[in-house]
Amino acid sequence: MKALKQFSIPFTGLKLGKHNFEFEIDKSFFDEFEHSLVKDGKLKAEVELDRQETMLVLSFRIAGTIKLNCDTCLSDFDQPIELEERQIVKFVEAVEEDEIEDLEIIVLPRKETAIDVAELIYEFITVAVPFINKCEQAGQACDEQMLSTLDKLAAGNEEQEEQTDDPRWEALKKLK
């Protein structure tokens, strides 16, 4: 969790208005999340914190590349990502159960002094990962050697299945 400590923004000493923060995101960031879809990347997150009396408005701008595996040829490629998101944080005296369930607004007790944006940044990046990952999306060509190997293995399986037909089924095939 040491790599995520830098993603905590102390807001108690900040004046009302807008404040900007920048964060560098790399492999150590993604290593902190156990089952992360993304294992590596090089991104820059710019966070604009608009401090108001009863809430914080966080505007995120995240840009860079993440490493993904191609679903076709299994090779690694760099997927460019650029996204903008917004999150509202509301201050309350005491956190109630029904307020916690609201996914649109984060609820913080007034006594809190900082907000951790690591989880938010991670979620925004994870949601931006394409459902189907292909080298062509990043402007690269698939690994031809791997594609030919996969084709050979797929063709080899069909021939093997034909050769291993059980002779006991021959009598049933004649019933057609």
Side-chain angles (χ1 to χ4, degrees):
M1 287 304 214
K2 291 179 183 177
L4 299 182
K5 287 189 182 203
Q6 65 177 327
F7 293 93
S8 180
I9 300 175
F11 56 80
T12 50
L14 298 177
K15 295 180 180 178
L16 296 180
K18 296 183 179 183
H19 306 275
N20 294 313
F21 301 89
E22 289 187 2
F23 302 101
E24 297 293 325
I25 300 167
D26 57 9
K27 183 176 181 357
S28 63
F29 176 82
F30 296 109
D31 287 345
E32 294 296 323
F33 299 95
E34 189 175 345
H35 300 291
S36 177
L37 291 173
V38 181
K39 301 298 181 205
D40 196 2
K42 188 156 183 69
L43 300 121
K44 184 177 180 181
E46 297 171 358
V47 180
E48 180 185 83
L49 183 143
D50 185 4
R51 180 158 164 71
Q52 299 174 8
E53 285 291 328
T54 59
M55 70 176 151
L56 301 172
V57 178
L58 299 168
S59 299
F60 295 86
R61 186 180 182 300
I62 303 170
T65 59
I66 56 174
K67 282 225 182 287
L68 297 175
N69 290 336
C70 180
D71 291 338
T72 306
C73 70
L74 307 176
S75 65
D76 290 340
F77 69 96
D78 291 330
Q79 172 72 39
I81 287 198
E82 191 166 328
L83 55 104
E84 292 186 24
E85 296 289 338
R86 196 176 116 186
Q87 184 66 53
I88 297 173
V89 180
K90 183 173 107 175
F91 298 121
V92 294
E93 293 302 323
V95 179
E96 297 177 18
E97 285 297 317
D98 59 335
E99 290 178 338
I100 293 175
E101 293 179 15
D102 187 2
L103 299 176
E104 298 291 320
I105 298 174
I106 296 175
V107 179
L108 281 181
R110 284 205 184 273
K111 63 183 177 186
E112 284 291 325
T113 60
I115 183 164
D116 184 15
V117 295
E119 289 277 339
L120 292 169
I121 292 172
Y122 171 74
E123 287 177 17
F124 294 146
I125 293 170
T126 302
V127 169
V129 172
F131 185 67
I132 298 174
N133 302 319
K134 293 192 176 189
C135 295
E136 293 106 32
Q137 294 169 340
Q140 300 175 5
C142 279
D143 183 0
E144 293 297 326
Q145 184 179 2
M146 180 59 84
L147 291 176
S148 65
T149 303
L150 290 171
D151 285 340
K152 288 177 188 174
L153 291 173
N157 287 342
E158 291 173 6
E159 293 172 9
Q160 187 179 0
E161 285 178 21
E162 290 176 14
Q163 294 172 357
T164 59
D165 281 342
D166 192 343
R168 295 176 287 183
W169 291 99
E170 289 299 320
L172 291 175
K173 287 181 182 177
K174 294 177 184 175
L175 294 176
K176 290 183 184 176

